[in-house]
Amino acid sequence: MQTHWGIDLGGTKIEGVILSSPSPDAVVIRKRIDTEAHLGYEHIVSRIKLLVDQLKAETGYVPDHIGFATPGTLDPATQTMKNCNTTCLNGKPLKQALTDQLGVRVSLANDANCFALAEATLGAVPGVVSNFQMMFGVIMGTGVGGGVVVRGLDGRPFVINGLHGIGGEWGHNILEENGHACYCGKSGCNEQVLAGPALQRFYLEQCGEKRTMKEIVERHRAGIDPAASATMERMLEYYGRSISTLINVLDPDVIVLGGGVGNIDELYTEGYERIKKYIFNNGVVKTPILRPKLGDSAGVFGAAML
């Protein structure tokens, strides 16, 4: 029986899944182990091998191809990892190491791309836009990112990695001139405006108090906190600008909005209206913007679909 194997490499956990068919209901096994990233790159590779060996032992299945969701990007030119928040992976030939250790073909994509692929194939998109040609998966959570999925000539969706391996890296375009400095070296990136910590930081700057995003949203809705309402207004306006840029450049058939911030209802109503102010289409927006369906399964399912 053909099986689909996926590994989601996280900073604290490594999760593996085997699917008997490309469906979220076809899980043969899911298993997690600790990453133990503090012990370094070689140890992480050994932990991945341990997990794969356990999956093989517990199911009797043997993979011929494994997909990996990674916390960064494989540079196509150097074949080494970059932009990883698990920093010991940066500069390392992870794909080759996994190929050597596991003895099978491996495919790597960053976690945002795997989110997009999972939602495009197994999640929110099929029931709404089943014949899509292009979709964009947006992550708005602790960080901001994205992934692009297109349908190939054979009808199968695939991830656009790009010449530099940064296809879909929406989080590090400059959105606010002279904004807060970002770890990427620029200032005012989408991530420094729209990520949860950035929104909480703005609220703190307005009133000197720290609150969670949940509290900020609730206080805005109750009409009791001008700083909360200013934070929400800022989020909605910049969200409209940034999403309009995606649509202007790619014009995808559908967008799926993931991450914790992506759960805020106003993004789908007032935020959608703000897109109309900036889109290069006479104020007309038809792009469906969907909530994700797969939750924290998206990374490992997307890896399996690679």
Side-chain angles (χ1 to χ4, degrees), residues 1 72 193:
M1 180 178 69
V193 179

Side-chain angles (χ1 to χ4, degrees), residues 113-280:
N113 282 337
C114 287
F115 161 80
L117 185 59
E119 292 294 342
T121 55
L122 307 179
V125 175
V128 179
V129 192
S130 58
N131 62 340
F132 76 92
Q133 294 302 305
M134 179 188 295
M135 71 83 69
F136 198 99
V138 166
I139 302 291
M140 288 173 57
T142 304
V144 171
V148 187
V149 175
V150 300
R151 192 178 298 280
L153 294 177
D154 62 358
R156 297 175 62 185
F158 66 93
V159 167
I160 296 292
N161 287 309
L163 177 65
H164 303 94
I166 57 172
E169 269 296 353
W170 171 73
H172 295 282
N173 294 319
I174 295 174
L175 182 58
E176 181 184 32
E177 290 292 335
N178 303 314
H180 281 271
C182 183
Y183 73 88
C184 75
K186 300 189 292 293
S187 297
C189 295
N190 283 328
E191 185 164 303
Q192 293 301 319
V193 179
L194 294 173
L199 293 165
Q200 291 171 269
R201 179 182 61 210
F202 179 82
Y203 178 85
L204 174 65
E205 291 170 348
Q206 299 307 297
C207 65
E209 297 181 15
K210 290 184 177 181
R211 295 194 184 276
T212 66
M213 274 309 300
K214 181 179 179 181
E215 291 173 323
I216 292 168
V217 172
E218 289 174 348
R219 292 173 70 83
H220 161 71
R221 291 173 181 167
I224 61 173
D225 189 340
S229 294
T231 302
M232 290 289 287
E233 169 62 25
R234 170 184 170 82
M235 178 192 72
L236 293 169
E237 186 69 11
Y238 276 117
Y239 169 81
R241 286 192 195 181
S242 57
I243 297 294
S244 73
T245 301
L246 289 178
I247 298 174
N248 287 345
V249 174
L250 295 175
D251 204 9
D253 298 288
V254 58
I255 294 171
V256 180
L257 184 56
V261 175
N263 290 322
I264 297 174
D265 292 341
E266 285 83 348
L267 293 173
Y268 299 87
T269 53
E270 296 172 57
Y272 197 86
E273 291 299 311
R274 304 299 176 96
I275 299 169
K276 297 177 181 179
K277 292 173 59 176
Y278 300 104
I279 189 174
F280 188 53

Side-chain angles (χ1 to χ4, degrees), residues 73-82 91-94 96 163-164:
T73 298
L74 183 72
D75 189 303
T78 66
Q79 288 296 297
T80 58
M81 299 300 292
K82 64 182 180 183
K92 303 297 186 182
L94 181 63
Q96 188 60 56
L163 177 65
H164 303 94

Side-chain angles (χ1 to χ4, degrees), residues 46-101:
S46 73
R47 295 291 286 172
I48 293 169
K49 185 176 188 305
L50 173 64
L51 177 59
V52 171
D53 288 344
Q54 290 176 349
L55 294 171
K56 290 161 64 175
E58 292 180 28
T59 65
Y61 293 124
V62 177
D64 57 14
H65 184 192
I66 303 177
F68 287 84
T70 59
T73 298
L74 183 72
D75 189 303
T78 66
Q79 288 296 297
T80 58
M81 299 300 292
K82 64 182 180 183
N83 301 336
C84 297
N85 50 26
T86 303
T87 55
C88 65
L89 297 175
N90 288 320
K92 303 297 186 182
L94 181 63
K95 182 176 182 181
Q96 188 60 56
L98 292 173
T99 301
D100 294 343
Q101 283 282 333

